[in-house]
Amino acid sequence: MCASHPPAAYRWTEDDAEAQAVGGPDGARDARERRAAHDESGRKRRLEYPPAPEPLPVPVVDNHTHLNFRDGLVEVGVRDALDAAAAVGVDRAVQVGCDLPSSRFTVEALEHEPRLLGAVALHPNDAPRYAARGELEAAYEEIERLAAHPRVRAIGETGLDYFRSKGDALAVQHDSFRWHIDLAKRLGKTLQIHDRDAHEDVVRILAEEGAPETVVFHCFSGDEDLARTCNEHGWYMSFAGTFTFKNAENLRSALAIAEPSRVLVETDSPFLTPHPYRGRPNASYMVPYTVRSMAEVLDADLAALCAALSANTEAAYGGWE
C-alpha cells in the first residue's frame, strides 16, 4: 500500500517550474551536484518522485544517503527530506560524503540536523581524479580533519570499483582503500565500504590491512559466499533498493543466510530506487519499500524486523544523542 502522491516537499508545482527557469530555488548559490537525467544506458529517466509508501510500524534508519545530490524536478532541503522520511517511519539517517565538497556538506549538515550522523571519505572513483591533479595528499589531510567531528561516525564510502575504473586508476583505488582502512582504525570509526565487482580484492585487502572493529558493506552486492564471509568476520551487510529488483536473486539468497544482527537497510539515494520505481529519483522516504521486501523474503514479522534493523544500525554507528 502507498499514497497516490509523493510527500509534499517532493511534488512538482508551477512555482517549481518558475524557480527552475531562473536557475533553481537558490539560483547560482545552489552548489549541490545533480544526478544525470539519463541512466547508464543513455535512456531518459522519469524525474517525478515516486509516491510515499505506507508507514512502517516501527522506525528504522536509512544508513546511507547522499543529501548533497540533487535529483528529480524539485530541490528538497535536508530538513524537509528528513521530515518526509520520518512521516513513513524512517526517523534518522547517515549522510555520506564521497569527495571533498560532499564531505564538507556532510559536516555542515551535522551541525544543523540532530537526526543525522555522517561518513566522510574519497570514493574509489574519485581518489584517482584527485591523484591525477596532484591533490590526493591534500585531500587525505582534509578528510582526516573532517572525520574528527564527533558526529562523523564512519569513514566511507571507500573501497573498490571495478565497473567504472580501469588501468592505472585501480592502483590508486587500492592505495586509497588502504589509507581509509588505516584512518578508520586510528580514529575508531566504522568503515563503510563501496564494493562493485571487486569482492575478492576487497576481502583480501581487509585481511592484509586488518579490518577495523566495525565494517559495513554498503549496498551489499554479493551472494551467499560473501554473506558467509561477512558472517564469519562480523561485518554488516546493508541492503538497498537493488534488493527488490527482479534480477537480484543473489541478494535475496544472501539475506536468507545473513546473520540477523548484521543486517542493515539503506537507500543510497538518490540512486537505486526500489521496484516498481526503478530509475526514478530515490529518497530516504522510500526505505519502507525495501524493508517490506526484506520481510517478505525472510517471512519475518515486519515490526520485529524494523526493530532489529534499528538496533543493528545503532550497534554499527552508535547513538544519535
Side-chain angles (χ1 to χ4, degrees):
M1 295 290 293
C2 64
S4 58
H5 300 289
Y10 290 89
R11 295 176 194 168
W12 176 251
T13 69
E14 292 301 321
D15 289 342
D16 296 314
E18 183 178 350
Q20 181 168 283
V22 297
D26 293 330
R29 293 173 297 166
D30 179 17
R32 291 197 289 171
E33 188 171 355
R34 186 156 195 167
R35 186 182 174 195
H38 295 78
D39 64 20
E40 292 178 346
S41 301
R43 293 170 298 193
K44 190 171 182 178
R45 300 168 45 236
R46 286 189 63 183
L47 297 181
E48 303 91 352
Y49 277 91
E54 181 181 351
L56 294 170
V58 174
V60 302
V61 181
D62 179 359
N63 95 109
H64 193 109
T65 184
H66 301 281
L67 294 168
N68 53 291
F69 265 98
R70 287 194 59 189
D71 196 14
L73 298 172
V74 295
E75 180 184 2
V76 180
V78 171
R79 180 178 297 175
D80 285 343
L82 294 174
D83 286 348
V88 296
V90 184
D91 64 347
R92 292 162 292 165
V94 179
Q95 157 62 26
V96 180
C98 295
D99 55 14
L100 292 184
S102 59
S103 293
R104 293 169 190 146
F105 175 101
T106 296
V107 171
E108 182 178 357
L110 298 180
E111 290 291 326
H112 294 92
E113 183 48 74
R115 291 174 289 183
L116 289 178
L117 295 180
V120 298
L122 302 180
H123 190 283
N125 290 326
D126 285 287
R129 298 181 185 121
Y130 283 98
R133 299 194 298 265
E135 299 172 355
L136 187 57
E137 291 304 318
Y140 284 160
E141 291 176 4
E142 183 168 356
I143 290 295
E144 184 160 354
R145 288 195 299 270
L146 293 169
H149 191 286
R151 294 184 67 79
V152 170
R153 302 290 178 77
I155 304 302
E157 59 190 277
T158 180
L160 302 176
D161 189 316
Y162 290 176
F163 179 78
R164 294 190 183 281
S165 294
K166 310 293 180 185
D168 293 342
L170 296 183
V172 178
Q173 281 196 13
H174 283 221
D175 290 343
S176 178
F177 187 28
R178 293 177 191 273
W179 182 88
H180 284 86
I181 292 171
D182 178 68
L183 180 64
K185 291 193 293 185
R186 285 191 284 113
L187 298 183
K189 309 275 184 175
T190 296
L191 184 73
Q192 201 177 70
I193 291 177
H194 172 103
D195 166 22
R196 190 167 188 184
D197 299 341
H199 307 323
E200 290 185 7
D201 281 350
V202 165
V203 172
R204 175 180 60 82
I205 290 173
L206 283 171
E208 291 173 355
E209 295 297 314
E213 182 176 349
T214 307
V215 173
V216 175
F217 275 71
H218 136 68
C219 188
F220 183 87
S221 59
D223 54 14
E224 292 183 27
D225 288 341
L226 185 57
R228 290 189 184 95
T229 298
C230 290
N231 286 344
E232 176 185 351
H233 293 281
W235 297 336
Y236 289 89
M237 293 160 269
S238 179
F239 292 89
T242 46
F243 181 86
T244 70
F245 293 176
K246 294 179 180 179
N247 63 347
E249 284 304 321
N250 63 309
L251 301 182
R252 292 183 277 275
S253 296
L255 177 65
I257 67 164
E259 166 58 44
S261 67
R262 291 298 181 263
V263 173
L264 307 176
V265 69
E266 65 173 90
T267 55
D268 196 22
S269 56
F271 311 100
L272 307 183
T273 312
H275 177 81
Y277 305 106
R278 184 176 181 176
R280 290 169 67 173
N282 198 8
S284 291
Y285 77 84
M286 300 286 286
V287 165
Y289 289 111
T290 302
V291 174
R292 284 190 166 86
S293 180
M294 294 167 68
E296 182 177 346
V297 167
L298 293 171
D299 192 23
D301 176 77
L302 181 60
L305 176 60
C306 290
L309 290 170
S310 183
N312 294 349
T313 309
E314 290 205 11
Y317 299 102
W320 264 249
E321 298 82 10

